[in-house]
């Protein structure tokens, strides 16, 4: 799509990619830039990506924030028709009853880190779920340094 970054991985995105383990689950729907649904054990499960926050999309009647729609569309394009492997941290469920997870693509890239590196999300840590905070902060520092995504588009 015009104006969207390519979906193919850069060498930096592949470095440090975790080898996915466990069973992958199909993505059934993307809600916004940091939330999507999977089919897990025959149930529709809402997944909230750990350690990141994307701007609000405004698709559901709320107020749209700068770069929110782009983040949501990027995640939709990235996960459409895909399967992901999920990794959990200390807490499994958030106050909104969403399952908290790090999600991995089939090639091993962590979706959470990819969104930060491409400038679609900023790091937001809620302890005790901080397993990958150093990697996420490094990705954010790189994104800020090159003015990726929201770091140049939004004031």
């Amino acid at each position: 799509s015009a104006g969207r970054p390519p979906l193919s991985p850069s060498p930096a995105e592949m470095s440090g990619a975790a080898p996915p383990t466990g069973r992958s689950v199909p993505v059934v729907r993307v809600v916004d830039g940091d939330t999507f649904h999977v089919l897990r054990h025959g149930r529709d499960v809402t997944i909230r990506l750990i350690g990141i926050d994307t701007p609000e999309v405004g698709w559901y009647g709320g107020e749209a924030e700068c770069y929110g729609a782009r983040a949501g569309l990027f995640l939709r394009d990235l996960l459409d028709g895909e399967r992901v492997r999920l990794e959990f941290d200390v807490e499994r469920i958030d106050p909104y009853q969403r399952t908290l997870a790090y999600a991995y693509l089939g090639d091993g890239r962590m979706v959470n880190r990819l969104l930060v590196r491409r400038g679609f999300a900023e790091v937001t840590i809620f302890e005790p779920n901080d397993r990958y905070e150093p990697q996420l902060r490094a990705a954010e520092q790189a994104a800020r340094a090159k003015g990726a995504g929201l770091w140049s588009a939004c004031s």
Side-chain angles (χ1 to χ4, degrees):
S1 300
R4 291 195 206 151
L7 295 177
S8 57
S10 71
E13 289 164 359
M14 290 306 297
S15 70
T21 58
R23 176 172 278 149
S24 65
V25 292
V27 174
V28 294
R29 181 169 67 91
V30 171
V31 175
D32 58 25
D34 52 31
T35 308
F36 59 95
H37 290 250
V38 298
L39 193 60
R40 189 161 189 262
H41 305 299
R43 293 186 23 242
D44 181 308
V45 177
T46 305
I47 303 297
R48 175 59 168 84
L49 294 170
I50 298 172
I52 69 167
D53 190 38
T54 60
E56 296 303 314
V57 294
W59 297 339
Y60 308 103
E63 187 159 334
E65 295 177 342
C66 180
Y67 231 69
R70 286 196 175 170
L73 291 172
F74 177 79
L75 190 61
R76 186 180 291 166
D77 287 349
L78 186 69
L79 297 183
D80 186 41
E82 294 294 323
R83 298 178 69 88
V84 294
R85 285 183 172 79
L86 302 174
E87 178 184 9
F88 308 103
D89 210 326
V90 177
E91 298 172 330
R92 289 282 290 256
I93 305 292
D94 76 0
Y96 304 100
Q97 300 307 303
R98 301 173 297 190
T99 298
L100 298 169
Y102 303 99
Y104 294 86
L105 299 170
D107 62 13
R109 288 181 294 162
M110 181 198 289
V111 174
N112 315 51
R113 183 172 171 244
L114 176 62
L115 286 163
V116 172
R117 178 172 279 287
R118 295 277 182 105
F120 291 106
E122 60 184 314
V123 176
T124 305
I125 301 296
F126 292 99
E127 292 185 356
N129 302 310
D130 59 1
R131 179 174 304 150
Y132 295 109
E133 183 175 5
Q135 294 92 322
L136 292 171
R137 296 243 183 247
E140 182 178 275
Q141 187 175 11
R144 282 176 181 260
K146 70 180 185 187
L150 63 84
W151 301 113
S152 63
C154 308
S155 55

